[in-house]
Amino acid sequence: MVPDIMTMSKTLGGGLPFAAVATTAKIEEDIHAKHFAFYTSHVSDPLTAEVGLAVLRVTAEEKLVMRANEMGAYLRGRFEELQQRYEVIGDVRGLGLLMGVELVEDRASRKPAHALGALTTQKCFELGLSMNIRRRPERGSVWRIAPPLTVSHDEIDRATDILDRALRESLDELSVQKAA
């Protein structure tokens, strides 16, 4: 799939205010003919332009797109191992190193496991893993996973081991609460 219009921000500038909008030549010609104007406070800013070029250069030189796909496949495999062990992991989805791991009450209903998500996220933090969970009702309880493009196998293993432990401890704690 090739999108008609894509907006990008944040990481393009390595932390500086830098964003981009990409579109097809056909759409660009159409909006140009209609005298569409676009302006921001950082238009033609030489600092952010140089940073953007440096980000593109490093991305190409270090083959970070290829690396994201390779490491993302490894990360997905680790999450799928967890999914085989835990009925509460409903879905593992994403592309490259941007992934979502859905926590559910059960796979049949796919009802979000908000309490489990919150407790697991807290335990991960206590165990040394900073991560977040999407808890909005329309998004369910989804671990949002976005490690740096330079992440190593050892770091992925350490993070998934922490997630595994936090999930197991959270399930145990919640089952004790239900029994009481």
Side-chain angles (χ1 to χ4, degrees):
M1 182 179 93
V2 176
D4 291 330
I5 298 173
M6 179 180 281
T7 59
M8 299 156 278
S9 67
K10 296 180 183 178
T11 57
L12 287 176
L16 292 178
F18 191 86
V21 177
T23 189
T24 64
K26 183 178 178 182
I27 291 173
E28 190 273 333
E29 290 167 10
D30 181 60
I31 62 175
H32 179 73
K34 293 175 181 171
H35 305 290
F36 176 79
F38 176 76
Y39 183 82
T40 74
S41 59
H42 290 280
V43 84
S44 301
D45 185 327
L47 175 64
T48 53
E50 189 62 34
V51 168
L53 289 171
V55 168
L56 291 173
R57 188 172 45 254
V58 168
T59 299
E61 287 172 1
E62 296 186 15
K63 297 177 175 59
L64 293 179
V65 173
M66 183 176 72
R67 179 172 174 71
N69 288 327
E70 290 172 2
M71 297 306 289
Y74 182 74
L75 179 62
R76 178 182 293 277
R78 291 298 316 267
F79 286 140
E80 288 171 348
E81 290 171 14
L82 291 176
Q83 186 181 31
Q84 294 300 314
R85 290 201 307 272
Y86 295 103
E87 180 70 21
V88 296
I89 295 180
D91 193 16
V92 175
R93 57 186 175 268
L95 184 63
L97 283 168
L98 179 59
M99 300 213 165
V101 177
E102 177 186 40
L103 298 178
V104 295
E105 297 285 332
D106 64 81
R107 288 187 190 158
S109 73
R110 299 185 71 86
K111 182 180 177 191
H114 295 296
L116 176 62
L119 185 56
T120 303
T121 300
Q122 175 190 336
K123 287 188 179 296
C124 281
F125 186 73
E126 291 167 1
L127 295 168
L129 179 63
S130 176
M131 56 168 289
N132 66 32
I133 192 159
R134 302 302 306 239
R135 290 184 293 192
R136 295 179 59 180
E138 70 275 11
R139 293 196 178 121
S141 288
V142 179
W143 288 331
R144 181 183 174 273
I145 311 296
L149 299 178
T150 56
V151 69
S152 68
H153 285 98
D154 288 343
E155 290 167 325
I156 288 174
D157 289 342
R158 182 170 172 233
T160 53
D161 288 348
I162 290 172
L163 283 165
D164 185 8
R165 178 177 168 192
L167 184 55
R168 170 55 40 218
E169 289 178 7
S170 297
L171 287 167
D172 291 346
E173 189 173 316
L174 290 173
S175 69
V176 168
Q177 289 175 5
K178 283 182 183 178

